[in-house]
Amino acid sequence: MYGNAYIDPNDKAAAMLAGEDPQKLDAFEKRIAAGEKIEPKDWMPREYRKQLIRMIEQHAHSEIIGALPEGTWITRAPGFRRKLALMAKVQDEVGHAQLLYSAAETLGKSREAMINDLITGKSKYSNVFNYPAFTWADACIIAWLIDAGAIINQVANAKGSYGPYCRALDRICTEESFHLKYGHDNVVTLATGTQKQREMVQGALTRWWPPIMHFFGPSDKISNHTEILMRWKVKMASNDDMRQQFLNMYVPKIWDLGLVLPDPNLKKNDAGIWEYTEPDWEEFKKVINGGGPCNAERLAVRRNAEERGRWVREALNTSESKYIVPLA
Amino acid sequence: MIKSLDPRVTRAEIEIENPIAPLNELDQWETYEVFHQKKRGDQHMHVGIVHAPNAEMAFLFGKEQYGRRGFSVNIWVVKTRDVFASEYDDSDIFDTVPEKQYREAGGYKVMEKINKYKKGV
């Protein structure tokens, strides 16, 4: 620490670097600028560690909670093949949570602490999973478009600076490519099917469009704080850029199927930028803070799973077990 | 009781207010490092970790986590705490290695000498 130099509480950028050793910080930034990865035991600024833990942990929670709305339809998937495929997809999502928890653990937060923060509502997860999957078509829209959004986010983050997170994301992206194809196949089947099937998929799309527009989050405030996170390759793309990329890749595919998106202002302008009605960010805030249709159920189900499995985990535990932070 | 769209959740008879005691340390067990071999003849590659109470369970979790796609012929699991690893801070211990050209095939260049000799003959 450098004594008690005054830090303007409003200057987040200065606060996030306060007290860091300038030589170590310089070497750290040079390493990242040269395209090298940071590994768990390397020196890193406190804020880098904190932001990564928050981000990777939330990502892990999203995978595990995301398995709930999708799992809703396992028992009633139309046909044996789709049931097998959906079970495989849901297993993948839970597996992704395991990979991500492991990556976050290398930064020094234990898995138990992360699960505790999830089930008490302290940690967040992706807002989209606080909405219900009313019909089979909802599960199809999630598998196609939510996974599409996730892939855009994950492909960007896989080029980040923290080795364990990048390695987990590379594996995750490979597996997600099956989810995307599977979801698209399901949506195409419904959209090219009977009148009733078309109505079903159109209904699901209309319901899911606002959460999908929320998915990448509100426009980033351009601040020194975000600038530093981008320099450290923690944040790899702005929320708006990712949303644009998503619209550019998927709106034409949706329109190809003759489906209607519930936004009369959605169009690509002459400059190649997608214009849209600003999503309702008040709704987004309400849901992320616990006020969505499924928040309470999701966490209750999660707590229930932890509680009912506890005796099994305890019975298997041996006194000689010893936790140390994973290596990579 | 939660009345859910998900029949599995409804069947599980879950209270919406169901506070639980926090998970204790080691509730999720310790970790094992997993090494995976794609095909006979390949090196085993480190692919990540699993949490497990013993080696047999680590093997099962490792198979599900890292061997459920593509090809696998063999998996090893090793307790993380049994791995003795070097520190990145000490990576200068490897610094002189690239300079030791006498260990490399490329460190031996004879054509120049041979050509010179032939010209001289």
Side-chain angles (χ1 to χ4, degrees):
Chain A
M1 292 287 288
Y2 299 109
N4 48 4
Y6 174 72
I7 296 155
D8 179 353
N10 295 317
D11 188 349
K12 280 176 96 179
M16 73 193 279
L17 296 177
E20 299 293 6
D21 179 326
Q23 267 178 331
K24 285 180 174 167
L25 183 62
D26 185 53
F28 168 84
E29 293 197 337
K30 278 195 177 124
R31 185 180 293 272
I32 292 174
E36 279 187 53
K37 302 289 182 190
I38 303 299
E39 294 291 348
K41 287 185 180 170
D42 283 333
W43 182 90
M44 58 186 83
R46 283 186 320 276
E47 190 68 14
Y48 178 84
R49 185 184 301 276
K50 191 177 131 194
Q51 292 289 343
L52 273 171
I53 291 176
R54 187 187 56 87
M55 198 163 108
I56 304 172
E57 179 185 351
Q58 279 185 19
H59 191 169
H61 295 331
S62 302
E63 299 280 354
I64 215 148
I65 296 289
L68 294 173
E70 289 200 274
T72 305
W73 285 90
I74 288 177
T75 50
R76 295 158 295 169
F80 190 59
R81 190 167 180 269
R82 290 198 189 90
K83 191 191 285 275
L84 283 175
L86 181 54
M87 286 198 303
K89 180 183 188 305
V90 169
Q91 184 189 25
D92 281 354
E93 306 299 4
V94 178
H96 296 170
Q98 302 282 338
L99 293 172
L100 292 161
Y101 282 132
S102 304
E105 274 173 71
T106 63
L107 291 158
K109 184 165 181 179
S110 76
R111 184 168 300 204
E112 291 84 2
M114 288 188 270
I115 296 175
N116 286 334
D117 285 349
L118 170 67
I119 60 186
T120 54
K122 191 177 167 209
S123 292
K124 304 292 180 216
Y125 53 85
S126 183
N127 223 21
V128 287
F129 302 122
N130 288 317
Y131 292 88
F134 283 114
T135 70
W136 165 251
D138 291 68
C140 301
I141 293 289
I142 297 173
W144 185 31
L145 295 177
I146 298 295
D147 281 54
I151 290 173
I152 288 173
N153 183 25
Q154 287 161 180
V155 166
N157 283 339
K159 298 186 191 81
S161 61
Y162 190 57
Y165 190 35
C166 300
R167 290 191 283 271
L169 287 173
D170 281 341
R171 187 170 279 270
I172 289 170
C173 288
T174 313
E175 296 185 358
E176 295 270 7
S177 56
F178 137 66
H179 303 176
L180 189 65
K181 296 282 269 188
Y182 155 85
H184 193 209
D185 183 86
N186 281 340
V187 170
V188 169
T189 302
L190 293 174
T192 58
T194 63
Q195 187 56 30
K196 205 173 168 192
Q197 284 174 311
R198 278 192 64 83
E199 281 166 17
M200 205 168 127
V201 76
Q202 178 62 62
L205 181 63
T206 305
R207 272 193 292 282
W208 280 87
W209 193 246
I212 287 169
M213 289 300 284
H214 285 150
F215 184 81
F216 297 104
S219 300
D220 299 294
K221 290 187 206 87
I222 302 306
S223 65
N224 294 340
H225 185 257
T226 11
E227 216 167 80
I228 294 173
L229 291 180
M230 286 189 138
R231 185 165 83 224
W232 287 350
K233 295 188 185 167
V234 171
K235 189 165 179 58
M236 296 302 289
S238 79
N239 295 352
D240 282 332
D241 283 352
M242 287 191 284
R243 191 161 24 242
Q244 282 292 327
Q245 203 187 332
F246 173 82
L247 294 171
N248 210 29
M249 284 171 83
Y250 292 96
V251 173
K253 290 189 171 78
I254 295 166
W255 283 345
D256 265 354
L257 296 169
L259 296 170
V260 179
L261 290 168
D263 180 359
N265 298 324
L266 183 67
K267 66 166 199 294
K268 196 173 182 174
N269 68 19
D270 295 337
I273 308 288
W274 286 87
E275 294 174 2
Y276 49 81
T277 310
E278 194 58 28
D280 181 353
W281 295 112
E282 287 309 310
E283 156 85 5
F284 175 80
K285 271 186 226 155
K286 189 189 93 187
V287 175
I288 214 158
N289 288 316
C294 297
N295 301 55
E297 173 179 332
R298 301 283 184 249
L299 292 186
V301 169
R302 202 56 245 141
R303 281 193 296 271
N304 178 69
E306 294 301 340
E307 189 57 20
R308 292 190 190 176
R310 193 192 297 258
W311 71 272
V312 181
R313 297 193 303 273
E314 280 174 1
L316 285 164
N317 228 339
T318 54
S319 55
E320 77 223 30
S321 286
K322 208 169 107 196
Y323 181 77
I324 68 159
V325 174
L327 299 172
Chain B
M1 294 301 168
I2 297 174
K3 270 275 181 212
S4 176
L5 276 171
D6 189 337
R8 302 170 309 166
V9 170
T10 305
R11 277 201 298 274
E13 300 186 345
I14 300 166
E15 298 288 349
I16 197 96
E17 294 289 340
N18 58 347
I20 66 169
L23 306 191
N24 295 322
E25 202 184 326
L26 274 172
D27 175 278
Q28 304 282 306
W29 310 307
E30 63 185 311
T31 65
Y32 286 72
E33 306 289 326
V34 182
F35 298 82
H36 173 254
Q37 189 188 32
K38 268 192 190 156
K39 62 174 202 287
R40 283 169 184 270
D42 279 0
Q43 303 274 15
H44 284 71
M45 296 277 285
H46 180 256
V47 281
I49 63 159
V50 290
H51 284 247
N54 54 51
E56 289 80 8
M57 293 278 292
F59 169 76
L60 278 178
F61 291 150
K63 174 185 165 288
E64 277 307 307
Q65 182 70 281
Y66 300 105
R68 72 176 187 279
R69 278 261 163 54
F71 299 98
S72 307
V73 293
N74 202 244
I75 278 183
W76 295 342
V77 292
V78 179
K79 268 184 196 163
T80 300
R81 62 183 152 112
D82 287 342
V83 176
F84 189 77
S86 64
E87 299 287 339
Y88 284 100
D89 271 353
D90 296 336
S91 54
D92 59 349
I93 58 175
F94 305 111
D95 276 356
T96 59
V97 174
E99 291 154 21
K100 294 178 180 167
Q101 282 297 306
Y102 55 83
R103 290 166 180 257
E104 309 287 337
Y108 296 87
K109 296 189 169 59
V110 292
M111 283 318 289
E112 208 174 296
K113 281 184 202 156
I114 293 174
N115 288 337
K116 206 170 156 192
Y117 170 75
K118 278 182 172 172
K119 261 187 207 159
V121 171

